[in-house]
Amino acid sequence: MNQPARRYTSEIRDEQARRTRRAIVTAAHDLFLAQGYAATTIDAIAQAAHVSRRTVFNSAGGKATLLKLALDWAIVGDDEPVPLADRPAVKAIQAEPDPRTALALWAEMVVEIAARVAPISEVLTAAADADPDAAQLVAKANHDRMFGATAFIRYLASLDGLAPGITQQHAADLCWALMDAHLYRLLVTERGWTVADFTQWLSGSLAATVLRTPCK
């Protein structure tokens, strides 16, 4: 008879724990951007999140874990436990039968992710020079990006959308490079391109290189 009450109490505790974890990761993210990874301490994160040092470790983990979570959440856009592959943007690409439209959708998704990831990616790159854990995160991020690029190119190939003479590996390598958020930072943040201009260039450049020319 008391099971619903216990379940309700458990749900409240889970939500409280999630809010605490979100506050900690958000504080870590903001401090990493403001003062860098090396200069950010667990004590500073705890103070910014209004929790104890112990709570930081118990709820989220150490600095490397916090950096990973900040990056992961930037990639997907929130802290929901849903992988990028299961997100609506990816599902929309996978449901698109026209290669050119699928590529345009891919470019839109890549730019949206890059806008969120570019700042924390710069922190991660700088941290990797001195911190082995951060270097491992960079390696994993590169691996994950290649996995996504390969999956996308395989889908275009399944639609018979690749240009004659280009291999799937070569096309995936191009996607992998163009997905790097550093490129977004260079052209949008530093050179002042609009997001629309960058998206159009990204889509057009890749289409001209990897897509089969439509028959007239």
Side-chain angles (χ1 to χ4, degrees):
M1 296 293 293
N2 294 328
Q3 187 174 356
R6 288 199 298 268
R7 184 183 301 115
Y8 178 71
T9 301
S10 178
E11 290 174 352
I12 291 177
R13 288 175 179 170
D14 289 346
E15 180 57 31
Q16 289 174 338
R18 184 176 177 182
R19 284 200 299 266
T20 298
R21 189 167 184 251
R22 186 184 298 138
I24 292 169
V25 176
T26 299
H29 173 277
D30 293 346
L31 286 171
F32 290 153
L33 296 190
Q35 58 191 34
Y37 180 77
T40 298
T41 64
I42 293 295
D43 288 336
I45 293 169
Q47 183 177 7
H50 305 291
V51 299
S52 69
R53 175 186 176 88
R54 181 177 180 180
T55 299
V56 172
F57 285 106
N58 290 342
S59 297
K63 278 175 60 174
T65 301
L66 289 168
L67 183 58
K68 180 182 184 302
L69 288 171
L71 177 65
D72 289 347
W73 293 6
I75 290 172
V76 297
D78 54 50
D79 64 340
E80 294 290 336
V82 180
L84 181 62
D86 295 331
R87 297 279 173 155
V90 174
K91 295 299 183 183
I93 294 170
Q94 294 171 339
E96 176 53 55
D98 177 66
R100 198 163 294 273
T101 304
L103 192 148
L105 291 173
W106 174 86
E108 290 177 4
M109 180 187 71
V110 166
V111 173
E112 288 176 1
I113 293 173
R116 297 190 299 263
V117 168
I120 196 69
S121 180
E122 291 300 307
V123 172
L124 178 58
T125 300
D129 289 337
D131 189 290
D133 291 332
Q136 289 184 2
L137 288 180
V138 170
K140 185 179 185 305
N142 286 335
H143 176 272
D144 291 347
R145 200 166 76 250
M146 178 56 78
F147 181 85
T150 301
F152 172 61
I153 290 301
R154 283 177 180 167
Y155 180 67
L156 290 184
S158 74
L159 301 176
D160 195 27
L162 293 185
I166 188 167
T167 65
Q168 290 189 36
Q169 184 60 65
H170 184 72
D173 288 345
L174 288 173
C175 285
W176 174 81
L178 292 172
M179 290 166 70
D180 192 337
H182 182 66
L183 187 60
Y184 176 94
R185 187 183 70 81
L186 287 176
L187 293 178
V188 177
T189 305
E190 294 195 11
R191 298 305 306 160
W193 285 29
T194 67
V195 171
D197 286 342
F198 182 74
T199 305
Q200 183 178 20
W201 170 82
L202 179 63
S203 178
S205 298
L206 191 61
T209 305
V210 307
L211 287 188
R212 179 184 295 276
T213 302
C215 296
K216 296 182 180 179

